[in-house]
Amino acid sequence: MSRLKIAAGNWKMNKTFEDAMQLSRAIANASRDESVLTILGVPSIYLKMIVDQVLYVEGLEVAAQNCHSQPSGAYTGEISAPMLASIGVKYVILGHSERRADFAESNSELAEKVDIALENDLIPIFCCGESLQIRKSGKHLEYVTDQLKDSLFHLTEQQFSKLILAYEPIWAIGTGETATPEQAQEMHAHLRNAISLQYSQEIAAQVPILYGGSVKPSNAVEIFSQQDVDGGLVGGASLKSDDFTRIINSF
Ligand code: PEP
């Protein structure tokens, strides 16, 4: 079964307004494979402007980097899923390791965020991944499977089929150290198997699983060529239009 190829950028807390608009414009105008779904994970303050800017650009979408678990209320500084949907955002990154670590986001809180995102027709890009310590203990496969179990496996098959997953080993994020293509493939195949056991082979074969962790133009081809790797969630290298375009064109 052929799955969607996806290149998602996570700009994190980078770029001033003019630089952000310039970067999204450069990616929109770049010579890029339009069959690859390209998603820009931009800071929330620029979401509406960039959604409008890329509205009619083939194969280019915009993601928020987070949303709150509640639809509205007294949560100063937060952004809700209905707010994102109301400005035309279609994707939301959930469970990034930086949010898990810096904002203590738990698997159960993430389950609520996934629910509210889906209720508002947002597609979650759900991040999972282990620390170096867990990898060294040899328990990484179970650990990441548990993240899926705790945050996602309550979903119906129909809901689950909407998701995008991103396996991001924490030890490879922003460190320059990349998982080997074999390490990525091993985890992706393991997760697909867990999904197959929980849901069905059909769903497991259909859900896109991205790899994230120091993806660069120099390693994207090799990583993306793995059977169960459907693309990348890219941090640092998504901040330069040339690098990101080369990654998009790496399938
Ligand atoms: C990320 O932030 O999700 C990420 C993978 O970052 P980097 O590509 O910089 O390692």
Side-chain angles (χ1 to χ4, degrees), residues 112-225:
E112 291 182 52
K113 290 191 179 200
V114 168
D115 288 346
I116 196 128
L118 289 171
E119 273 166 35
N120 286 280
D121 293 326
L122 296 169
I123 297 176
I125 302 172
F126 181 83
C127 304
C128 53
E130 81 287 358
S131 65
L132 188 57
Q133 198 189 8
I134 292 167
R135 169 139 307 245
K136 282 186 172 160
S137 76
K139 300 219 159 74
H140 48 288
L141 296 173
E142 288 153 73
Y143 179 86
V144 179
T145 309
D146 283 347
Q147 289 181 319
L148 264 55
K149 278 189 187 153
D150 293 352
S151 298
L152 302 179
F153 281 2
H154 65 286
L155 298 173
T156 65
E157 192 166 302
Q158 204 234 0
Q159 288 173 318
F160 194 91
S161 68
K162 300 207 160 86
L163 303 178
I164 297 171
L165 304 184
Y167 167 57
E168 299 207 304
I170 299 168
W171 46 273
I173 295 180
T175 58
E177 189 171 339
T178 318
T180 63
E182 293 74 26
Q183 285 172 323
Q185 170 59 26
E186 180 194 32
M187 180 63 82
H188 286 218
H190 179 82
L191 295 180
R192 230 179 266 293
N193 187 47
I195 295 162
S196 169
L197 294 173
Q198 176 70 19
Y199 293 99
S200 64
Q201 262 186 350
E202 211 184 355
I203 296 291
Q206 171 203 315
V207 65
I209 310 181
L210 315 183
Y211 166 79
S214 300
V215 174
K216 307 182 262 275
S218 57
N219 59 22
V221 172
E222 210 187 353
I223 295 172
F224 295 174
S225 67

